[in-house]
């Protein structure tokens, strides 16, 4: 009848927890049916009970294996999700049908209805001797974690229960995704680990909080492209866990709570860290969290709320010029010389470096063009963006004026090194950067001079229309300008 071997002497080649459960339940049901047939007419359906003699001993070897090394996946499932003995037995019966469909016919016969191929609570209680109180409840772990799905039959008939197919995969040793998570969950990709990142410090804080049984989340604040997910993966690795990246935007919004539960369930069973991209709604409060949760948010934004959770916030530091140059040399060794200068580009992020490398530039000009195009995309909607094309050869002016303009370029290139050095940073603390005021009548070359400087620095120019940002309401003009300047700074524009 069964594709799996029900004879214990022939079942020694079975090694997964899934197969052990299927064969164990199959033997119990076959012995139970044989006992019923031998006692036909001597007992009523209401008083049927599983005997405690040799029939149970026949399945003892498989039960012993389930409790040993071969059944570790099953033991982990029961322990992690805090299943009671009755809940574990109900899940075993439902899993046996999902693992080996032929078991369904045995369950139907044992329930007196060959069309009912999934187990009911009365069958679980008779087979394993559990008391009459309900096993499955909406608040039980089986329901909360979606391990079984109740199936309603006719009025007055007990519900049947169908096992979640993902649980079956896990017991076979395959950590597979639920269908609703396929587009929204991905593995992490390899990338550089920056020396400026406080990986060890963050790991130590999380470890201390976990030892205190706190429900914590590490909130990583930085602008997009700064390597937030790579940092989170590095912290997870420091704590001995692999990580999954979750994109809330790719999960069905009408099934948010269900998908959130399934993500946490996967992370708990697989002992994984979860790295959340921005854009998630508030987190459901009743669903327990896997131990390691990383939330990536842009600067100025807050993480989705979660009642009872403690958030540890880290503002991810920017890599310094030397680190950027080293990453450039690693990713694009054929452009190592150009990288020394391009590494000083304002607003250059780790993500920009990786994407520039992926674009396979043949020379420094192509690399610079790509980086400016990336920056223009980030500034879209902030104002008129100019990709400067004038260089020093196009600009005609007195030598002393050109020398002053080149001095501006020199100071702009040196500015990152000044603020990265603790000794000099204290002298420039609070300063907003380099500001230049060009004056003169129309047509003398003010705009052209700005383009020449921006071209030399490898940055775009953002032209702000003050008339469009000025408001009659107090404070709105300053607020609008602050937003524009913040976007320009993040994109490294002049």
């Amino acid at each position: 009848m069964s594709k799996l071997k029900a004879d214990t002497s022939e079942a020694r080649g079975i090694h997964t927890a899934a197969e052990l459960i299927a064969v164990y339940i199959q033997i119990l049901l076959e012995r139970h049916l044989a006992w019923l047939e031998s006692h036909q007419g001597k007992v009523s359906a209401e008083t049927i009970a599983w005997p405690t003699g040799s029939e149970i001993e026949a399945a003892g070897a498989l039960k012993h294996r389930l409790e040993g090394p071969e059944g570790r996946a099953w033991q982990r499932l029961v322990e992690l999700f805090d299943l009671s003995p009755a809940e574990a037995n109900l899940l075993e019966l439902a899993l046996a049908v999902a693992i080996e469909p032929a078991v369904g016919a045995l369950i139907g016969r044992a329930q007196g209805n060959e069309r009912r191929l999934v187990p009911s609570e009365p069958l679980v209680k008779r087979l394993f001797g559990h008391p009459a109180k309900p096993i499955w409840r909406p608040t039980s772990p089986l329901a909360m974690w979606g391990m079984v799905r109740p199936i309603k039959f006719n009025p007055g008939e007990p519900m049947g229960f169908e096992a979640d197919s993902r649980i079956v995969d896990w017991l076979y040793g395959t950590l597979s995704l639920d269908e609703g998570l396929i587009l929204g969950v991905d593995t992490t990709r390899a990338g550089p680990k920056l020396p400026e990142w406080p990986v060890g410090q963050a790991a130590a804080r999380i470890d201390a909080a976990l030892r205190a049984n706190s429900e914590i989340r590490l909130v990583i604040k930085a602008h997009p492209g700064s390597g937030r997910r790579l940092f989170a993966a590095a912290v997870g690795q420091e704590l001995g866990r692999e990580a999954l990246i979750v994109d809330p935007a790719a999960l069905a919004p009408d099934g948010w709570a269900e998908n959130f539960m399934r993500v946490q369930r996967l992370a708990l069973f697989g002992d994984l860290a979860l790295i959340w991209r921005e854009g998630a709604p508030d987190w459901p409060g009743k669903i327990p969290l896997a131990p390691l949760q990383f939330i990536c948010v842009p600067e100025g934004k807050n993480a989705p709320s979660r009642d009872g959770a403690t958030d540890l916030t880290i503002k991810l530091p920017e890599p310094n010029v030397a680190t950027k140059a080293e990453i450039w040399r690693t990713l694009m060794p054929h452009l190592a010389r150009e990288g020394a200068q391009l590494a000083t580009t304002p607003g250059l992020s780790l993500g920009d470096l990786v994407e520039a490398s992926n674009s396979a530039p043949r020379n420094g000009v192509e690399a610079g063009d790509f980086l400016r195009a990336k920056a223009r995309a980030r500034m879209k909607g902030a104002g008129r963006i100019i990709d400067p094309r004038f260089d020093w050869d196009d600009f005609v002016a007195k030598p002393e004026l050109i020398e002053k303009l080149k001095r501006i370029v020199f100071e702009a290139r040196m500015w990152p090194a000044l603020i990265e050095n603790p000794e000099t940073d204290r002298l420039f603390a609070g300063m907003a950067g380099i500001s230049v005021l060009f004056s003169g009548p129309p047509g003398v070359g003010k705009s052209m001079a700005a383009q020449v400087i921006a071209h030399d620095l490898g940055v775009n120019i953002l032209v702000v229309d003050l008339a469009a940002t000025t408001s009659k309401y107090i404070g709105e003009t300053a607020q609008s300008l602050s937003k524009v300047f913040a976007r320009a700074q993040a994109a490294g524009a002049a």
Side-chain angles (χ1 to χ4, degrees):
M1 177 191 299
S2 170
K3 295 178 183 177
L4 296 175
K5 298 175 182 179
D7 191 291
T8 54
S9 64
E10 298 178 358
R12 293 172 184 171
I14 296 173
H15 298 293
T16 66
E19 294 169 300
L20 289 172
I21 287 172
V23 177
Y24 168 63
I25 294 299
Q26 182 175 332
I27 291 176
L28 285 183
L29 289 167
E30 288 177 344
R31 299 292 182 179
H32 181 63
L33 290 169
W35 184 83
L36 287 178
E37 291 174 2
S38 67
H39 291 74
Q40 190 172 6
K42 300 179 182 178
V43 293
S44 64
E46 290 75 15
T47 60
I48 291 174
W50 179 243
T52 58
S54 61
E55 289 82 4
I56 287 183
E57 293 177 3
L62 287 172
K63 185 65 174 176
H64 180 72
R65 289 172 66 182
L66 261 179
E67 295 170 350
E70 294 168 295
R72 280 175 184 165
W74 170 248
Q75 298 160 27
R76 177 171 176 78
L77 190 75
V78 172
E79 181 181 354
L80 269 178
F81 299 104
D82 196 23
L83 301 182
S84 69
E87 289 167 339
N89 292 148
L90 173 56
L91 182 57
E92 279 180 312
L93 280 170
L95 285 168
V97 180
I99 295 163
E100 176 47 69
V103 174
L106 297 174
I107 285 178
R109 288 172 56 197
Q111 296 181 135
N113 188 333
E114 295 187 357
R115 300 181 62 183
R116 298 287 186 259
L117 305 181
V118 291
S120 62
E121 286 197 18
L123 177 61
V124 177
K125 294 168 186 175
R126 289 199 299 268
L127 278 177
F128 297 97
H130 294 300
K133 65 179 183 180
I135 299 174
W136 184 92
R137 297 183 180 90
T139 56
S140 69
L142 291 177
M144 289 277 292
W145 292 110
M147 295 183 184
V148 295
R149 181 176 67 90
I151 300 175
K152 293 184 179 180
F153 297 119
N154 298 323
E157 293 186 1
M159 291 189 299
F161 294 93
E162 183 180 44
D164 189 314
S165 56
R166 294 291 74 74
I167 307 297
V168 175
D169 288 346
W170 297 355
L171 295 178
Y172 268 116
T174 301
L175 199 64
S176 60
L177 291 174
D178 292 279
E179 184 179 355
L181 305 182
I182 291 174
L183 298 180
V185 177
D186 200 2
T187 55
T188 57
R189 293 174 175 82
K193 180 179 174 182
L194 307 190
E196 291 85 358
W197 288 350
V199 173
Q201 177 186 351
R205 291 182 66 187
I206 293 174
D207 186 58
L210 292 177
R211 290 178 185 276
N213 294 320
S214 300
E215 187 178 84
I216 66 163
R217 308 183 303 175
L218 186 67
V219 180
I220 306 168
K221 291 193 173 185
H223 62 78
S226 58
R228 293 168 297 180
R229 295 188 295 277
L230 286 174
F231 170 73
V235 175
Q237 189 176 30
E238 186 82 3
L239 292 168
R241 286 181 173 88
E242 296 182 6
L244 292 176
I245 297 174
V246 185
D247 183 3
L251 302 179
D254 54 344
W256 165 242
E258 173 78 9
N259 286 328
F260 181 85
M261 176 274 291
R262 292 184 178 275
V263 168
Q264 298 298 335
R265 187 181 74 170
L266 175 68
L268 276 169
F269 187 78
D271 199 20
L272 301 168
L274 294 176
I275 303 172
W276 294 84
R277 301 182 68 141
E278 56 265 30
D282 290 341
W283 288 14
K286 290 188 176 181
I287 299 173
L289 300 183
L292 280 185
Q293 308 278 334
F294 301 96
I295 306 176
C296 302
V297 296
E299 291 181 343
K301 299 290 185 178
N302 295 321
S305 65
R306 159 79 176 193
D307 289 342
T310 301
D311 287 347
L312 304 177
T313 301
I314 287 184
K315 185 176 180 181
L316 201 61
E318 290 282 346
N320 59 36
V321 173
T323 298
K324 293 177 183 178
E326 180 60 31
I327 294 171
W328 185 285
R329 284 192 294 270
T330 302
L331 296 175
M332 292 169 279
H334 63 293
L335 298 179
R337 181 177 299 177
E338 293 86 343
Q341 180 170 328
L342 287 171
T344 64
T345 303
L348 185 65
S349 70
L350 176 59
D352 293 334
L353 290 169
V354 173
E355 291 191 36
S357 171
N358 293 337
S359 71
R362 294 169 295 180
N363 51 56
V365 174
E366 289 183 358
D369 289 344
F370 178 86
L371 292 173
R372 286 196 300 275
K374 284 283 298 177
R376 287 194 297 275
R378 290 201 293 269
M379 291 187 295
K380 188 176 181 180
R384 185 163 62 92
I385 306 167
I386 297 175
D387 182 11
R389 293 298 177 184
F390 295 122
D391 57 22
W392 295 110
D393 293 334
D394 300 314
F395 190 70
V396 179
K398 295 180 179 179
E400 53 269 26
L401 176 58
I402 292 179
E403 183 62 28
K404 289 181 180 179
L405 295 177
K406 288 187 175 181
R407 181 70 183 178
I408 296 171
V409 174
F410 172 78
E411 291 187 15
R413 284 215 174 96
M414 291 300 297
W415 182 258
L418 290 174
I419 60 176
E420 288 167 4
N421 188 325
E423 289 299 318
T424 53
D425 178 51
R426 62 185 180 84
L427 302 175
F428 298 94
M431 293 184 65
I434 298 173
S435 300
V436 181
L437 177 63
F438 291 151
S439 65
V444 298
K446 300 186 296 295
S447 297
M448 187 177 186
Q451 287 203 44
V452 169
I453 292 172
H455 183 273
D456 197 346
L457 291 171
V459 299
N460 299 292
I461 292 180
L462 177 62
V463 180
V464 181
D465 184 359
L466 286 177
T469 57
T470 303
S471 172
K472 63 180 179 180
Y473 298 104
I474 296 175
E476 285 196 3
T477 300
Q479 190 177 35
S480 298
L481 286 174
S482 295
K483 291 179 178 178
V484 170
F485 288 142
R487 291 187 64 179
Q489 182 180 23

